[in-house]
Amino acid sequence: MTTFPGSPRLVKGGIVTMDPDTTALRSVIALQYNPDTLSRTLQIQAVQGAQDGTRVDALRLRGPAVETIKLEAELDATDQLEFPKQNPITVKFGLQPQLAQLEMLVNPTVETLLSDDNLANNGQLEIIPLEQPLTLFVWSKTRVVPVRITDFSITEEAFDPNLNPIRAKVSLGLRVLNIDDIGLAHPGGRMFMSYLTNKQQLASMASSVAISVLGLGGLP
């Protein structure tokens, strides 16, 4: 990494959690190193043909494409361990705090579990589980999307003498939540619409070429 004073500041990708009712921020997690690759898959929501053979307009869409994102993030405590006095938590626990922060994205809190157990013991357990915080995946200011984590794996690659992990890789699979999942009125639904608006605006900036570039003099 260059220390040249004129070098641009690196923007990091990360994950934000917020209260789905008040939209108050709960946590901001920045990836230590931006992944070299990020894969996205869009599943088209086309109108299905009727079972009785009735012709259905093949150009119609039922809704936004279902987008999934996969990435692999690296964590390394080597730099922090070079300065133990400035990083006492890393010296004591290695990468465990950072890994635990990510793991809590897919786990209920102890308080939630105890509360549910007390309600169950009193015969008052709600049928609908308590709502988890809204999770956002941030990959630049034009790509802030509500997501549900669908896959999560950790590979710990190196350890200190106390078996604390000091180098690890985290693989994440994310499912973008669109308005079909959470509705327009939900804060996540509004964020998805903003994400789609940015995509639409970016698409309008791409230039269209002459049809002759495709070897055609015109359309049949």
mmCIF file of all heavy atoms in Angstrom, residues 47-57:
data_model
loop_
_atom_site.group_PDB
_atom_site.id
_atom_site.type_symbol
_atom_site.label_atom_id
_atom_site.label_comp_id
_atom_site.label_asym_id
_atom_site.label_seq_id
_atom_site.Cartn_x
_atom_site.Cartn_y
_atom_site.Cartn_z
ATOM 1 N N VAL A 47 -42.712 -14.434 -16.344
ATOM 2 C CA VAL A 47 -44.063 -14.966 -16.177
ATOM 3 C C VAL A 47 -44.072 -16.397 -16.669
ATOM 4 O O VAL A 47 -43.613 -16.702 -17.772
ATOM 5 C CB VAL A 47 -45.079 -14.111 -16.960
ATOM 6 C CG1 VAL A 47 -46.460 -14.746 -16.918
ATOM 7 C CG2 VAL A 47 -45.121 -12.703 -16.404
ATOM 8 N N GLN A 48 -44.602 -17.290 -15.851
ATOM 9 C CA GLN A 48 -44.660 -18.694 -16.219
ATOM 10 C C GLN A 48 -45.853 -18.961 -17.140
ATOM 11 O O GLN A 48 -46.906 -18.345 -16.996
ATOM 12 C CB GLN A 48 -44.784 -19.572 -14.965
ATOM 13 C CG GLN A 48 -43.645 -19.381 -13.980
ATOM 14 C CD GLN A 48 -42.306 -19.818 -14.557
ATOM 15 O OE1 GLN A 48 -42.220 -20.799 -15.277
ATOM 16 N NE2 GLN A 48 -41.265 -19.065 -14.239
ATOM 17 N N GLY A 49 -45.670 -19.875 -18.064
ATOM 18 C CA GLY A 49 -46.758 -20.245 -18.953
ATOM 19 C C GLY A 49 -47.864 -20.965 -18.202
ATOM 20 O O GLY A 49 -47.611 -21.692 -17.243
ATOM 21 N N ALA A 50 -49.093 -20.745 -18.610
ATOM 22 C CA ALA A 50 -50.227 -21.385 -17.952
ATOM 23 C C ALA A 50 -50.210 -22.888 -18.197
ATOM 24 O O ALA A 50 -49.780 -23.364 -19.247
ATOM 25 C CB ALA A 50 -51.532 -20.774 -18.456
ATOM 26 N N GLN A 51 -50.698 -23.663 -17.213
ATOM 27 C CA GLN A 51 -50.685 -25.116 -17.336
ATOM 28 C C GLN A 51 -51.630 -25.622 -18.421
ATOM 29 O O GLN A 51 -51.447 -26.716 -18.946
ATOM 30 C CB GLN A 51 -51.061 -25.747 -15.989
ATOM 31 C CG GLN A 51 -50.018 -25.500 -14.892
ATOM 32 C CD GLN A 51 -50.385 -26.168 -13.585
ATOM 33 O OE1 GLN A 51 -51.471 -26.733 -13.454
ATOM 34 N NE2 GLN A 51 -49.494 -26.108 -12.610
ATOM 35 N N ASP A 52 -52.668 -24.829 -18.744
ATOM 36 C CA ASP A 52 -53.619 -25.274 -19.770
ATOM 37 C C ASP A 52 -53.152 -24.954 -21.178
ATOM 38 O O ASP A 52 -53.887 -25.141 -22.143
ATOM 39 C CB ASP A 52 -54.994 -24.640 -19.519
ATOM 40 C CG ASP A 52 -54.943 -23.110 -19.545
ATOM 41 O OD1 ASP A 52 -53.855 -22.551 -19.788
ATOM 42 O OD2 ASP A 52 -55.993 -22.477 -19.315
ATOM 43 N N GLY A 53 -51.911 -24.458 -21.298
ATOM 44 C CA GLY A 53 -51.356 -24.184 -22.619
ATOM 45 C C GLY A 53 -51.691 -22.812 -23.155
ATOM 46 O O GLY A 53 -51.329 -22.477 -24.281
ATOM 47 N N THR A 54 -52.393 -22.004 -22.376
ATOM 48 C CA THR A 54 -52.731 -20.658 -22.819
ATOM 49 C C THR A 54 -51.465 -19.841 -23.020
ATOM 50 O O THR A 54 -50.560 -19.862 -22.191
ATOM 51 C CB THR A 54 -53.636 -19.959 -21.779
ATOM 52 O OG1 THR A 54 -54.791 -20.772 -21.561
ATOM 53 C CG2 THR A 54 -54.047 -18.583 -22.255
ATOM 54 N N ARG A 55 -51.390 -19.122 -24.120
ATOM 55 C CA ARG A 55 -50.202 -18.329 -24.409
ATOM 56 C C ARG A 55 -50.092 -17.152 -23.437
ATOM 57 O O ARG A 55 -51.039 -16.435 -23.186
ATOM 58 C CB ARG A 55 -50.246 -17.815 -25.844
ATOM 59 C CG ARG A 55 -49.038 -16.964 -26.224
ATOM 60 C CD ARG A 55 -49.073 -16.576 -27.683
ATOM 61 N NE ARG A 55 -48.962 -17.757 -28.529
ATOM 62 C CZ ARG A 55 -49.066 -17.713 -29.861
ATOM 63 N NH1 ARG A 55 -49.290 -16.561 -30.463
ATOM 64 N NH2 ARG A 55 -48.958 -18.814 -30.576
ATOM 65 N N VAL A 56 -48.911 -16.992 -22.889
ATOM 66 C CA VAL A 56 -48.639 -15.887 -21.975
ATOM 67 C C VAL A 56 -47.555 -15.015 -22.588
ATOM 68 O O VAL A 56 -46.624 -15.522 -23.202
ATOM 69 C CB VAL A 56 -48.184 -16.421 -20.598
ATOM 70 C CG1 VAL A 56 -47.815 -15.270 -19.668
ATOM 71 C CG2 VAL A 56 -49.288 -17.266 -19.973
ATOM 72 N N ASP A 57 -47.671 -13.714 -22.422
ATOM 73 C CA ASP A 57 -46.697 -12.795 -22.992
ATOM 74 C C ASP A 57 -45.311 -13.092 -22.420
ATOM 75 O O ASP A 57 -45.056 -12.912 -21.227
ATOM 76 C CB ASP A 57 -47.097 -11.354 -22.661
ATOM 77 C CG ASP A 57 -46.262 -10.339 -23.443
ATOM 78 O OD1 ASP A 57 -45.221 -10.709 -23.996
ATOM 79 O OD2 ASP A 57 -46.666 -9.166 -23.470
#
